[in-house]
Short mmCIF file of all heavy atoms in Angstrom, two decimals:
data_model
loop_
_atom_site.label_atom_id
_atom_site.label_comp_id
_atom_site.label_asym_id
_atom_site.label_seq_id
_atom_site.Cartn_x
_atom_site.Cartn_y
_atom_site.Cartn_z
N TYR B 307 34.58 -5.39 3.08
CA TYR B 307 36.03 -5.50 3.15
C TYR B 307 36.47 -6.70 2.28
O TYR B 307 37.51 -6.58 1.62
CB TYR B 307 36.61 -5.57 4.50
CG TYR B 307 36.69 -4.34 5.17
CD1 TYR B 307 35.87 -3.86 6.21
CD2 TYR B 307 37.87 -3.54 4.89
CE1 TYR B 307 36.04 -2.57 6.95
CE2 TYR B 307 38.00 -2.20 5.45
CZ TYR B 307 37.07 -1.78 6.58
OH TYR B 307 37.26 -0.62 7.18
N GLU B 308 35.71 -7.72 2.31
CA GLU B 308 36.01 -8.99 1.59
C GLU B 308 36.06 -8.61 0.12
O GLU B 308 36.89 -8.97 -0.74
CB GLU B 308 35.11 -10.07 1.90
CG GLU B 308 35.62 -11.43 1.27
CD GLU B 308 34.41 -12.46 1.21
OE1 GLU B 308 33.21 -12.14 1.40
OE2 GLU B 308 34.86 -13.65 1.19
N GLY B 309 34.91 -7.87 -0.31
CA GLY B 309 34.78 -7.48 -1.65
C GLY B 309 36.09 -6.71 -2.22
O GLY B 309 36.54 -6.73 -3.32
N LEU B 310 36.29 -5.68 -1.30
CA LEU B 310 37.44 -4.83 -1.54
C LEU B 310 38.70 -5.61 -1.88
O LEU B 310 39.47 -5.43 -2.92
CB LEU B 310 37.77 -3.94 -0.33
CG LEU B 310 38.43 -2.61 -0.46
CD1 LEU B 310 37.61 -1.61 -1.34
CD2 LEU B 310 38.60 -2.01 0.83
N ARG B 311 38.96 -6.64 -0.92
CA ARG B 311 40.13 -7.50 -1.00
C ARG B 311 40.12 -8.38 -2.27
O ARG B 311 41.14 -8.38 -2.97
CB ARG B 311 40.06 -8.44 0.20
CG ARG B 311 41.52 -9.02 0.56
CD ARG B 311 41.60 -9.26 2.07
NE ARG B 311 40.45 -9.84 2.65
CZ ARG B 311 39.74 -9.47 3.74
NH1 ARG B 311 40.17 -8.42 4.37
NH2 ARG B 311 38.68 -10.04 4.21
N LEU B 312 38.99 -8.89 -2.66
CA LEU B 312 38.90 -9.75 -3.74
C LEU B 312 39.19 -9.00 -5.11
O LEU B 312 39.76 -9.47 -6.01
CB LEU B 312 37.54 -10.48 -3.83
CG LEU B 312 37.18 -11.56 -2.77
CD1 LEU B 312 35.86 -11.97 -2.86
CD2 LEU B 312 38.23 -12.66 -2.96
N ALA B 313 38.77 -7.72 -5.01
CA ALA B 313 38.97 -6.94 -6.31
C ALA B 313 40.38 -6.19 -6.26
O ALA B 313 40.65 -5.51 -7.20
CB ALA B 313 37.92 -5.80 -6.27
N GLY B 314 41.16 -6.50 -5.21
CA GLY B 314 42.51 -5.92 -5.15
C GLY B 314 42.47 -4.40 -4.94
O GLY B 314 43.36 -3.67 -5.32
N ARG B 315 41.42 -3.87 -4.26
CA ARG B 315 41.42 -2.55 -3.97
C ARG B 315 41.77 -2.20 -2.54
O ARG B 315 41.75 -3.02 -1.72
CB ARG B 315 39.89 -2.00 -4.27
CG ARG B 315 39.60 -2.05 -5.71
CD ARG B 315 38.08 -1.78 -5.99
NE ARG B 315 37.75 -1.86 -7.42
CZ ARG B 315 36.72 -2.35 -7.96
NH1 ARG B 315 35.78 -2.90 -7.19
NH2 ARG B 315 36.58 -2.35 -9.20
N THR B 316 41.89 -0.89 -2.18
CA THR B 316 42.24 -0.42 -0.86
C THR B 316 41.35 0.81 -0.60
O THR B 316 40.74 1.33 -1.40
CB THR B 316 43.72 0.00 -0.67
OG1 THR B 316 43.98 1.04 -1.83
CG2 THR B 316 44.66 -1.12 -0.81
N PRO B 317 41.09 1.00 0.71
CA PRO B 317 40.19 2.10 1.11
C PRO B 317 40.78 3.46 0.49
O PRO B 317 41.99 3.64 0.48
CB PRO B 317 40.19 2.10 2.56
CG PRO B 317 40.50 0.71 3.03
CD PRO B 317 41.56 0.22 1.90
N TRP B 318 39.92 4.28 -0.01
CA TRP B 318 40.30 5.51 -0.54
C TRP B 318 40.82 6.57 0.53
O TRP B 318 41.92 7.22 0.17
CB TRP B 318 39.05 6.13 -1.25
CG TRP B 318 39.26 7.49 -2.00
CD1 TRP B 318 39.43 8.70 -1.42
CD2 TRP B 318 39.46 7.65 -3.43
NE1 TRP B 318 39.66 9.65 -2.44
CE2 TRP B 318 39.66 9.04 -3.67
CE3 TRP B 318 39.32 6.80 -4.54
CZ2 TRP B 318 39.83 9.60 -4.90
CZ3 TRP B 318 39.49 7.34 -5.76
CH2 TRP B 318 39.68 8.75 -6.03
N ARG B 319 40.16 6.74 1.56
CA ARG B 319 40.54 7.67 2.60
C ARG B 319 40.27 7.13 4.02
O ARG B 319 39.16 7.26 4.49
CB ARG B 319 39.78 8.95 2.40
CG ARG B 319 40.27 10.09 3.42
CD ARG B 319 39.76 11.46 2.91
NE ARG B 319 40.22 12.48 3.86
CZ ARG B 319 39.45 13.05 4.76
NH1 ARG B 319 38.13 12.90 4.97
NH2 ARG B 319 40.00 14.05 5.54
N THR B 320 41.30 6.44 4.53
CA THR B 320 40.96 5.81 5.86
C THR B 320 40.76 6.86 6.96
O THR B 320 40.19 6.58 7.96
CB THR B 320 42.24 5.04 6.33
OG1 THR B 320 43.49 5.73 6.22
CG2 THR B 320 42.35 3.77 5.41
N GLU B 321 41.23 8.04 6.81
CA GLU B 321 41.00 9.21 7.69
C GLU B 321 39.50 9.52 7.80
O GLU B 321 39.11 10.20 8.84
CB GLU B 321 41.84 10.45 7.13
CG GLU B 321 41.94 11.67 8.14
CD GLU B 321 42.49 11.24 9.47
OE1 GLU B 321 43.13 10.29 9.63
OE2 GLU B 321 42.39 12.13 10.42
N SER B 322 38.68 9.00 6.96
CA SER B 322 37.21 9.18 7.04
C SER B 322 36.59 8.17 7.94
O SER B 322 35.38 8.39 8.25
CB SER B 322 36.60 9.21 5.70
OG SER B 322 36.61 7.90 5.12
N ILE B 323 37.25 7.14 8.34
CA ILE B 323 36.64 6.08 8.95
C ILE B 323 36.72 6.06 10.50
O ILE B 323 37.80 6.22 11.01
CB ILE B 323 37.33 4.63 8.44
CG1 ILE B 323 37.03 4.51 6.95
CG2 ILE B 323 36.88 3.52 9.25
CD1 ILE B 323 37.83 3.30 6.35
N VAL B 324 35.58 5.88 11.14
CA VAL B 324 35.51 5.77 12.45
C VAL B 324 34.73 4.42 12.75
O VAL B 324 33.65 4.24 12.19
CB VAL B 324 34.82 6.88 13.17
CG1 VAL B 324 34.50 6.65 14.67
CG2 VAL B 324 35.60 8.06 12.97
N ALA B 325 35.32 3.52 13.55
CA ALA B 325 34.75 2.20 13.68
C ALA B 325 34.54 1.75 15.07
O ALA B 325 35.38 2.17 15.95
CB ALA B 325 35.62 1.16 12.85
N THR B 326 33.64 0.82 15.33
CA THR B 326 33.45 0.24 16.63
C THR B 326 32.71 -0.97 16.59
O THR B 326 32.10 -1.33 15.48
CB THR B 326 32.63 1.33 17.56
OG1 THR B 326 32.71 0.79 18.91
CG2 THR B 326 31.27 1.28 17.25
N ALA B 327 32.80 -1.87 17.58
CA ALA B 327 31.98 -3.02 17.63
C ALA B 327 30.92 -2.81 18.54
O ALA B 327 31.13 -2.42 19.68
CB ALA B 327 32.87 -4.24 18.04
N ASP B 328 29.67 -3.12 18.13
CA ASP B 328 28.45 -2.73 19.00
C ASP B 328 27.28 -3.65 19.01
O ASP B 328 26.63 -3.93 19.98
CB ASP B 328 27.90 -1.15 18.74
CG ASP B 328 27.61 -0.94 17.33
OD1 ASP B 328 27.67 -1.94 16.51
OD2 ASP B 328 27.30 0.12 16.96
N HIS B 329 27.03 -4.26 17.78
CA HIS B 329 25.77 -5.01 17.65
C HIS B 329 25.86 -6.34 18.35
O HIS B 329 24.82 -6.86 18.97
CB HIS B 329 25.47 -5.22 16.21
CG HIS B 329 24.91 -4.08 15.54
ND1 HIS B 329 25.52 -2.92 15.38
CD2 HIS B 329 23.73 -3.90 14.79
CE1 HIS B 329 24.72 -2.07 14.67
NE2 HIS B 329 23.58 -2.68 14.33
N ASN B 330 27.07 -7.00 18.32
CA ASN B 330 27.18 -8.43 18.87
C ASN B 330 27.77 -8.40 20.26
O ASN B 330 27.91 -9.50 20.77
CB ASN B 330 28.19 -9.06 17.99
CG ASN B 330 27.60 -9.79 16.79
OD1 ASN B 330 26.94 -10.75 16.87
ND2 ASN B 330 27.85 -9.18 15.62
#
Side-chain angles (χ1 to χ4, degrees):
Chain B
Y307 276 107
E308 187 194 25
L310 200 69
R311 198 152 44 232
L312 291 174
R315 294 172 176 137
T316 52
W318 182 282
R319 184 172 184 247
T320 52
E321 189 58 16
S322 69
I323 296 172
V324 172
T326 194
D328 55 4
H329 283 61
N330 274 287

